Amino acid sequence: MVKRTDGTESPILAEADADGHDKPRVRYGELVILGYNGYLPQGDRGRRRSKFVLYKRTEPNGVKRSKHYIVQSPQTSKAILDANQHSISYTLSRNQAVIVEYKEDTETDMFQVGRSSESPIDFVVMDTLPGDKKDAKVMQSTISRFACRILVNRCEASKARIFAAGFDSSRNIFLGEKATKWQDNVEIDGLTTNGVLIMHPKGQFCGGNAKCGLWRECSVGGDVFSLRESRSAQQKGQPIYDESNVLQDGTLIDLCGATLLWRSADGLQHSPTKRDLEKLIDEINAGRPQCPVGLNTLVIPRKVNIGDQVNQPYVYLNCGHVQGHHDWGQDKSTGARRCPMCLEVGPVVTLCMGLEPAFYVDVGAPTFAFNPCGHMATEKTVKYWANVDIPHGTNGFQAVCPFCATPLDGSSGYIKLIFQDNLD
């Protein structure tokens, strides 16, 4: 197992047997941040990356609820001071708290997600900004430092459960006096300040027939509730008994500042690979699509970082015609252009392939593009994401392009592409 020193290496990205040879690792699934087209703008480094693969650990590190009791001063209680004891402290008043102790669970592996770069966090997630993120800076993050934890059954990889809040370096979780909390019979539970929201798709994510489900909130203890009136409202939602915190292929997890997509290992088996997507680009380019004005051959780039190259294709967002760069029909006052093929007036944007395979709901030709960013994908993929509401602000929702997080425009949020190709 790779030793973590300065917080830059992941503890589970490499594993070797006794002879030093890499051995096949069991993959549970992937967490992929919405808004990145394959990698972070600064590059993927250690635990800070656009997606995180969850592998079965060499040794289990999961925990499960053990016992709970009331204390007068939680900061000096034995469980809090013991750095080897996992515990959650629910502060009821200035001089009373409920401590819930957790014990080792040899049947589960635990993975933690949050903004903190401290060692207990396996996947460091920062706020996602829409569009081009090269020089983007977040003034104040709304993502919790220890946002959530996922426990995967080592024998049943399909049972990956999500819980709000993660354990800190002292193996503690603190819910302050103002945090939303409650006690049912003997068990105590609570919500984090901005909450951890989940959305299970209705139907199979792979295949393109799934629909957007309802957003729910997950508690510290793993129960599921309807949403609060606003993101950090004091009153919890209604308990949802027929839904659970078990992640499905395609479940979305919103951390209030970033949204993650869970792809199960089984689901990824039926999804395109990056090589599949590159082959699709090659097939379009092999058709030698032409620009009707410049009469030059257009080439869809295989790399995400695209420059102002001569053969770069552009799409007219109101009609879908794909052309090269030219000044014909340009209205310099508005920036809109008249399409030379159909004379429709509207915005023009660079066409770019969506290269993160996890966002695809099926395998096929990229015949559609998101409006207004121009990221290409399959028809079913584009239509699925155009109908998924992503939490935005304190109680709003909006559909976004999964490859760049740009809010979608137009009545549908996408456009069917019309290439002038295979003319020979």
Side-chain angles (χ1 to χ4, degrees), residues 69-275:
Y69 45 85
I70 295 173
V71 296
Q72 303 305 317
S73 50
Q75 300 293 346
T76 57
S77 68
K78 181 175 175 291
I80 300 298
L81 296 174
D82 185 353
N84 294 315
Q85 172 70 59
H86 285 88
S87 67
I88 302 179
S89 171
Y90 297 86
T91 305
L92 303 179
S93 64
R94 190 172 295 178
N95 54 10
Q96 191 176 60
V98 174
I99 304 285
V100 180
E101 289 188 11
Y102 281 69
K103 62 183 179 182
E104 291 181 0
D105 181 6
T106 57
E107 295 181 357
T108 60
D109 285 339
M110 182 167 67
F111 305 90
Q112 300 207 139
V113 181
R115 179 170 48 87
S116 173
S117 57
E118 289 184 31
S119 58
I121 295 296
D122 298 294
F123 187 23
V124 180
V125 175
M126 308 303 281
D127 295 69
T128 303
L129 295 171
D132 184 2
K133 305 169 181 64
K134 280 184 181 172
D135 303 313
K137 286 185 180 172
V138 176
M139 299 309 291
Q140 189 172 4
S141 178
T142 48
I143 300 173
S144 170
R145 293 175 67 242
F146 302 91
C148 68
R149 61 199 193 277
I150 293 171
L151 275 85
V152 189
N153 189 300
R154 288 171 63 88
C155 298
E156 287 183 82
S158 60
K159 286 194 177 168
R161 296 181 177 274
I162 185 167
F163 301 80
F167 294 99
D168 63 18
S169 298
S170 301
R171 300 191 174 185
N172 298 319
I173 294 173
F174 289 99
L175 264 73
E177 199 173 334
K178 292 181 180 178
T180 302
K181 63 189 89 65
W182 60 92
Q183 204 156 359
D184 290 330
N185 299 323
V186 290
E187 302 288 353
I188 191 165
D189 201 353
L191 304 175
T192 53
T193 304
N194 288 331
V196 173
L197 310 187
I198 58 173
M199 188 279 285
H200 300 311
K202 290 180 181 174
Q204 295 292 319
F205 181 80
C206 269
N209 298 316
K211 298 279 187 264
C212 179
L214 293 173
W215 282 94
R216 307 298 193 191
E217 180 162 11
C218 194
S219 72
V220 174
D223 286 335
V224 178
F225 296 85
S226 63
L227 300 186
R228 290 179 261 181
E229 282 193 15
S230 66
R231 194 76 197 226
S232 55
Q234 287 291 306
Q235 183 63 40
K236 74 178 190 294
Q238 295 298 314
I240 307 295
Y241 296 111
D242 59 350
E243 292 184 33
S244 79
N245 64 338
V246 176
L247 300 176
Q248 300 170 203
D249 187 38
T251 293
L252 288 174
I253 304 162
D254 189 81
L255 303 179
C256 194
T259 307
L260 313 181
L261 171 69
W262 168 257
R263 294 303 314 276
S264 68
D266 185 53
L268 288 167
Q269 296 278 343
H270 303 94
S271 296
T273 63
K274 193 175 179 209
R275 182 73 196 104

Side-chain angles (χ1 to χ4, degrees), residues 49-82:
R49 47 209 315 115
S50 67
K51 69 176 166 186
F52 178 71
V53 184
L54 281 71
Y55 290 110
K56 186 174 184 177
R57 297 189 184 273
T58 313
E59 298 292 334
N61 70 332
V63 292
K64 59 185 176 183
R65 201 171 180 134
S66 170
K67 59 183 178 180
H68 69 277
Y69 45 85
I70 295 173
V71 296
Q72 303 305 317
S73 50
Q75 300 293 346
T76 57
S77 68
K78 181 175 175 291
I80 300 298
L81 296 174
D82 185 353

Side-chain angles (χ1 to χ4, degrees), residues 301-316:
R302 287 172 62 157
K303 289 191 175 175
V304 179
N305 295 324
I306 46 181
D308 286 332
Q309 50 178 303
V310 180
N311 300 325
Q312 170 65 50
Y314 292 77
V315 60
Y316 286 73

